[in-house]
Amino acid sequence: VQLQASGGGMVQAGGSLRLACQTSGCSISDCTMGWFRQAPGKGREFVAVKRKSDSNLYYGDSVKGRFTISRDSATNTVTLQMNSLKSEDTAVYYCVASRLRVITSQIRSGDSYPYWGQGTQVTVSS
């Protein structure tokens, strides 16, 4: 499984960015896919996931209401629409995937996702 993330960049606070993750080796319907992020000097943080088993969406508390995860089966792409960006959203964003069923209690753990993309930098200036 390969994950290719794109769409990062620099934006002012209050602005928007859209990240995309194209997958090969695992279709959107066969993999649970989502996003984590890691800010400088901090651990990785759960952002959002769309689970394959029930298509439920899960969001980290810090992004709920501002970020939206969606998928396009035709292009095998998962996108993360980020609105009302804040300086604390500055991080490297990683696309993640798992072929296995991810139970709800583990949905926010990075260890549940064997496949990680290369990361894309998002910088929000205040």
Side-chain angles (χ1 to χ4, degrees):
V1 176
Q2 291 189 330
L3 306 171
Q4 182 68 42
S6 61
M10 184 177 291
V11 66
Q12 288 190 331
S16 299
L17 279 176
R18 185 179 179 91
L19 304 183
C21 176
Q22 188 160 30
T23 177
S24 60
C26 190
S27 68
I28 297 297
S29 58
D30 291 336
C31 274
T32 290
M33 296 189 65
W35 298 87
F36 279 71
R37 68 186 182 185
Q38 187 163 19
K42 296 188 177 180
R44 62 190 180 189
E45 179 186 7
F46 170 76
V47 177
V49 154
K50 187 174 181 70
R51 192 162 61 180
K52 69 167 184 174
S53 60
D54 53 15
S55 295
N56 278 352
L57 308 178
Y58 299 86
Y59 293 95
D61 291 340
S62 61
V63 307
K64 202 173 295 184
R66 300 186 298 121
F67 291 11
T68 303
I69 186 171
S70 60
R71 69 184 190 191
D72 183 344
S73 299
T75 59
N76 255 5
T77 300
V78 172
T79 60
L80 184 70
Q81 178 66 43
M82 305 185 295
N83 298 328
S84 302
L85 283 162
K86 306 175 182 179
S87 57
E88 50 263 45
D89 294 318
T90 294
V92 177
Y93 284 71
Y94 296 93
C95 180
V96 301
S98 173
R99 291 181 179 273
L100 302 177
R101 179 175 178 267
V102 182
I103 60 176
T104 303
S105 62
Q106 297 299 315
I107 207 80
R108 293 173 172 78
S109 171
D111 293 339
S112 297
Y113 306 93
Y115 306 107
W116 289 65
Q118 84 284 6
T120 185
Q121 177 71 46
V122 171
T123 302
V124 184
S125 60
S126 56

